[in-house]
Amino acid sequence: MWFQRVSLLSCLVLLSACANAKGPWVELGGHRYQVEIADDDAERARGLMFRDQMDADAGMLFIHDRQERQAYWMKNTHIPLDILYFDNDRKLVSQQRDVPPCSAGDGCPAYPSNAPARYVLELNAGQAAALKLEDGASITFGDGIEAPPVQ
């Protein structure tokens, strides 16, 4: 009988842990964000297009094959964003804050990094200001986020 209770309790603990696992995350400025990963050309091209909202503690992490100057645009993006650029060492090297949505298709402006970047994190507009982010801030990747080797 006690074995059945222990087994049941073990199963409940495992189910609870699985329910609380929300997938990949990053930590920035002492705050954790659940992120979607865009690590190939198709995912990076689509990004957050056609989304009408994003949870406050969510974002999208773009992983590029190499560190170089990056430029992002808001084509078909319906929510304002902060676009944060990080180098190979995962240090913040450039910020584009409060970037507005754009419905002008190919006429949407680009928002470039001011320095070479390897990783780009898009968060809801206002998050960078709320975290008081300054260039040089570090981003931490949670388990399950794999970056290709530095090229």
Side-chain angles (χ1 to χ4, degrees):
M1 185 71 143
W2 69 269
F3 181 75
Q4 289 175 326
R5 288 185 184 152
V6 170
S7 293
L8 179 60
L9 182 59
S10 296
C11 287
L12 290 174
V13 168
L14 286 174
L15 286 173
S16 175
C18 289
N20 290 331
K22 295 182 179 181
W25 55 269
V26 299
E27 200 165 271
L28 179 63
H31 192 86
R32 185 170 287 188
Y33 295 92
Q34 300 300 312
V35 293
E36 295 177 56
I37 306 295
D39 58 1
D40 65 33
D41 290 339
E43 292 169 344
R44 287 188 293 261
R46 181 155 176 98
L48 291 169
M49 285 184 179
F50 308 109
R51 308 264 182 110
D52 292 324
Q53 65 179 15
M54 185 166 58
D55 289 344
D57 294 336
M60 182 170 276
L61 179 67
F62 298 80
I63 301 174
H64 291 273
D65 296 330
R66 64 188 154 280
Q67 178 173 284
E68 59 189 355
R69 289 193 184 266
Q70 307 291 341
Y72 277 57
W73 66 346
M74 298 290 284
K75 179 180 178 181
N76 299 318
T77 304
H78 302 161
I79 51 178
L81 298 171
D82 288 341
I83 305 172
L84 308 172
Y85 298 91
F86 298 85
D87 66 11
N88 282 330
D89 297 323
R90 301 178 189 170
K91 300 287 186 199
L92 184 61
V93 295
S94 188
Q95 304 178 53
Q96 295 284 354
R97 294 184 179 192
D98 300 313
V99 178
C102 184
S103 59
D106 290 343
C108 294
Y111 295 89
S113 60
N114 296 327
R118 175 94 183 272
Y119 309 101
V120 180
L121 179 63
E122 290 183 341
L123 300 173
N124 284 305
Q127 290 296 301
L131 296 173
K132 299 180 178 152
L133 290 181
E134 294 182 14
D135 288 354
S138 294
I139 189 171
T140 302
F141 293 173
D143 294 338
I145 299 178
E146 295 183 27
V150 174
Q151 294 182 359

